Amino acid sequence: MNRRSVSMIDVAVLAGVSVGTVSNVVNSPQRVSEATRDRVQVAIDKLGWVPSETARQLRAGRSHAVGLIVFDISNPFFTDVALGVEDALYRQGLSVYISNSDQRIEREEMLIRHFEQNRVRGVIMAPITNVNEHALQLRRRGIPVVMVDRSRDEDFCSVGVDDVEGGRLAAEHLLAMGHRRLAFVGGPMTLAQVHDRMTGARLAMDNHPDASLLTLTTPTLAVTPGTACATQIALMPDGTRPTAVFAANDLLAIGLLQGFVAAGLRVPDDIALIGYDDIEFAAAAAVPLSSVSQPRRALGERAAAMLVDEIAVAEEGGPHRHEIVRLAPVLVPRASTMVKS
Ligand code: RIB
């Protein structure tokens, strides 16, 4: 049964509810019990129904909007990626609905569902997990999806940075500065980007059997857990405390810097510190932070270009081969890792 023949009545019949209940599930879900919402959603998914007000928009013409899902809208990394996406799509006459999954799967799923109901032309997303069944479903319904800040999903076009190489660069830099007791601070490890950076740091350690790498896992990639880790590190006795820390992103590094200063530890004299992303605040920190730069706007622009290509192919019915692009990270040394002259 193709999408155009499916109506709200078909959904109501299949779910065994009234048409009004189906309308409430779509427009005012808080008025419907969870069990009924789930039953209606199963019927909607089974029939591939798209709410009529959105179908009207389709008949009247195509949506001019693209959905963008990031997982931490408060992080300047994603602001820069979003600016790259917006600039590239503006040139194509398209606008961007920017949304935040807040690293919560249920929110990511809801956002994908709402973008489908609003029949956006396509979706760009920084996914929280590996296999994204809901993104695959979106594409099966004819809405192209491109992954950004990831470059591994062969089922989608994707663009990201080689985070294993980035982690290796960061650790290699600390080792080159003479450090042998290192720490990696980052998390959650379920984020492939964080795990890859730690893997890269461990690869660098392989060439230095006299060196050690302590790993401190954090719940998120934010300032506060960075400060908490600094407090934990500062309490370690001299002689066992790491002399250098690699933070999985710059916000953690900024939190670590704040914590070390509060604990009376000087950066870099007592402990060196390097972050990742090279957001604007890294260079502007009280002690300018060394970092591993990600080409943030270029990531957004490339993801947008991939999506525009895939939209054209989807709407003209041509073949499409997914592209996986891995951009190079760049080491940016600054005062926070410089050895005293
Ligand atoms: O700072 C946000 C981090 O989350 C970035 O390193 C980006 O790669 C994402 O994984």
Side-chain angles (χ1 to χ4, degrees), residues 71 75 77-78 149 191 193 197 221 248-249 276-277 294:
F71 61 70
N75 186 317
F77 170 86
F78 288 111
D149 185 34
L191 267 182
Q193 301 87 316
R197 290 165 203 170
L221 291 161
N249 80 337
Y276 203 99
D277 295 342
Q294 294 205 68

Side-chain angles (χ1 to χ4, degrees), residues 7 15 23 27 44 60 75 105 111 129 139 152 165 171 197 203 272 291 298 300 303 312 318 333:
S7 72
S23 175
N27 301 309
I44 289 174
N75 186 317
I105 282 292
L111 291 167
T129 59
R139 209 184 53 223
R152 62 176 65 218
E165 174 58 10
R197 290 165 203 170
L203 285 175
S291 189

Side-chain angles (χ1 to χ4, degrees), residues 127-245:
I128 303 166
T129 59
N130 280 326
V131 180
N132 201 300
E133 184 51 40
H134 295 269
L136 284 167
Q137 183 176 318
L138 200 60
R139 209 184 53 223
R140 278 197 290 270
R141 296 250 169 92
I143 298 183
V145 180
V146 168
M147 299 294 172
V148 68
D149 185 34
R150 282 283 286 281
S151 53
R152 62 176 65 218
D153 297 313
E154 62 283 351
D155 287 340
F156 297 93
C157 284
S158 64
V159 55
V161 156
D162 182 344
D163 286 314
V164 173
E165 174 58 10
R168 193 194 65 76
L169 283 173
E172 209 45 82
H173 173 61
L174 297 176
L175 291 160
M177 290 291 120
H179 297 286
R180 291 297 178 268
R181 284 201 311 277
L182 279 63
F184 174 82
V185 171
M189 285 302 165
T190 49
L191 267 182
Q193 301 87 316
V194 175
H195 194 271
D196 285 354
R197 290 165 203 170
M198 181 182 67
T199 301
R202 286 180 172 167
L203 285 175
M205 302 300 285
D206 289 349
N207 303 324
H208 297 270
D210 58 332
S212 63
L213 179 69
L214 170 70
T215 297
L216 297 177
T217 304
T218 59
T220 61
L221 291 161
V223 171
T224 303
T227 308
C229 282
T231 306
Q232 198 180 336
I233 292 169
L235 289 173
M236 295 172 71
D238 285 348
T240 60
R241 182 190 313 126
T243 64
V245 177

Side-chain angles (χ1 to χ4, degrees), residues 248-292:
N249 80 337
D250 289 337
L251 294 186
L252 283 169
I254 289 166
L256 282 153
L257 178 60
Q258 182 187 50
F260 288 145
V261 169
L265 288 175
R266 297 163 302 161
V267 174
D269 307 69
D270 297 324
I271 190 158
L273 178 58
I274 185 167
Y276 203 99
D277 295 342
D278 198 25
I279 59 174
E280 194 181 348
F281 300 117
V287 177
L289 280 173
S290 297
S291 189
V292 175

